Amino acid sequence: MDPRLLPLLSCPRHPTVTLTVEQVERVVNGAIVSGRLRCPVCATTYLIKDGILDMIGQHRPTSAAQVVNEVPVAAWAYERTWRPFALSLLSGEQFPLTRELKLITGLAGAERGGLMVDVGCSNGLYARALEHVRRQRGAGGFVVGIDLSMAMLQEAQRRARHEGLSISFIRASAQAMPFADGTVDALVMGGSLNEIGDIPAALSEWRRLLSPQGRGVMMSLVAASTPIGQGIQQLLASGGLQFPSLAELNHYFTAAGLRLRAQWQYGIVVFSVLQ
């Protein structure tokens, strides 16, 4: 974890309260590998282990999708098997990762830098793309990857280190992220809205965090229109996944106080730009 990020971290229970450093146990190449942070109000202690800040502690998965995400083999396989081909299969057209990542980083304004957060980051695909652009453009700031699954975060950490990238990873809920109001310059999410549970609470968190000039860029999946697609989604819904219609998705945005600036749909894949 980048120690320069510490002044920006707040307690999920008390978003206006900056966490204090209780102990730094190990530092490698300037990054905090292990240590403890503390909330001065509720006295909750948050551990940093292997460079990952854990804001959750003990947690019992609430859906089959969350159970699968906690399995190390699933985390290892996610970006090696499914993810490179996912959008081509779901959109019905050629949609390689290069196209997707260029779209996400461009819409998010990664060249501007600032605090950029990949919510529900899984293996950190979007986070790495943001950090590459930030470095190429010489912009200041930080990239943070947030996920509920420690297995996913550990794989994301390995991938970032392999590419020599400085990304801070935090285990936290999408409905309670550790930053103060209006401090995030870019929020991105790739498909995780469909499996995070309480969608309205997660989107309200986006509204809380986005700075006045901040941008939110989301790739999500909507309800299928074909009988086969509907049948598959009904089966996946039993495992905790949600597939709102496009109208329902946009209603969620409006209800959370988010302004929809642009939107594109490819099959069941939807990209939305929010402020």
Side-chain angles (χ1 to χ4, degrees):
M1 167 164 285
D2 191 328
R4 296 174 299 169
L5 184 67
L6 294 176
L8 302 179
L9 295 175
S10 63
C11 177
R13 298 180 179 86
H14 304 94
T16 61
V17 179
T18 303
L19 296 176
T20 60
V21 179
E22 185 173 275
Q23 184 177 5
V24 174
E25 298 171 350
R26 186 179 175 216
V27 176
V28 177
N29 296 326
I32 301 175
V33 176
S34 61
R36 294 194 299 273
L37 307 183
R38 183 182 181 88
C39 173
V41 173
C42 64
T44 303
T45 298
Y46 301 103
L47 299 180
I48 302 173
K49 185 177 180 180
D50 192 28
I52 299 171
L53 173 61
D54 188 355
M55 315 294 290
I56 300 293
Q58 294 295 322
H59 169 74
R60 179 174 294 178
T62 58
S63 68
Q66 289 185 9
V67 171
V68 171
N69 287 341
E70 292 289 352
V71 177
V73 173
W76 178 90
Y78 176 71
E79 206 170 305
R80 289 177 170 88
T81 57
W82 163 248
R83 196 58 179 85
F85 315 103
L87 263 60
S88 294
L89 293 171
L90 296 170
S91 68
E93 62 181 83
Q94 286 299 310
F95 216 121
L97 283 178
T98 51
R99 178 185 176 188
E100 179 184 355
L101 297 179
K102 184 177 180 179
L103 183 61
I104 291 295
T105 56
L107 293 173
E111 73 282 353
R112 302 180 306 164
L115 177 55
M116 299 184 282
V117 182
D118 181 2
V119 186
C121 69
S122 300
N123 285 178
L125 178 65
Y126 284 5
R128 299 197 310 274
L130 291 170
E131 177 64 4
H132 276 299
V133 172
R134 187 195 69 79
R135 285 192 173 194
Q136 290 166 3
R137 297 298 184 91
F142 311 92
V143 175
V144 178
I146 287 180
D147 203 280
L148 195 62
S149 164
M150 183 59 76
M152 286 289 186
L153 290 169
Q154 289 169 340
E155 179 65 22
Q157 181 81 286
R158 283 190 287 269
R159 288 175 172 272
R161 287 174 175 172
H162 178 73
E163 295 182 25
L165 300 176
S166 177
I167 300 172
S168 296
F169 291 100
I170 301 175
R171 183 174 180 239
S173 165
Q175 291 84 4
M177 291 186 275
F179 301 103
D181 297 3
T183 56
V184 180
D185 298 290
L187 285 166
V188 299
M189 178 183 281
S192 296
L193 189 73
N194 300 90
E195 59 184 76
I196 60 175
D198 192 339
I199 291 177
L203 294 177
S204 293
E205 190 72 345
W206 275 46
R207 176 62 274 168
R208 182 183 74 81
L209 292 179
L210 278 174
S211 68
Q213 302 302 317
R215 301 179 191 175
V217 182
M218 180 180 297
M219 183 276 284
S220 56
L221 308 179
V222 295
S225 58
T226 65
I228 293 178
Q230 291 170 353
I232 294 173
Q233 288 186 343
Q234 288 176 2
L235 179 63
L236 293 173
S238 65
L241 274 68
Q242 305 175 73
F243 300 95
S245 68
L246 184 61
E248 289 170 335
L249 176 66
N250 290 338
H251 175 73
Y252 282 136
F253 294 152
T254 301
L258 292 165
R259 182 170 48 167
L260 182 63
R261 300 304 302 268
Q263 193 170 65
W264 300 266
Q265 183 172 3
Y266 308 88
I268 66 169
V269 179
V270 174
F271 289 88
S272 305
V273 180
L274 306 158
Q275 281 189 320

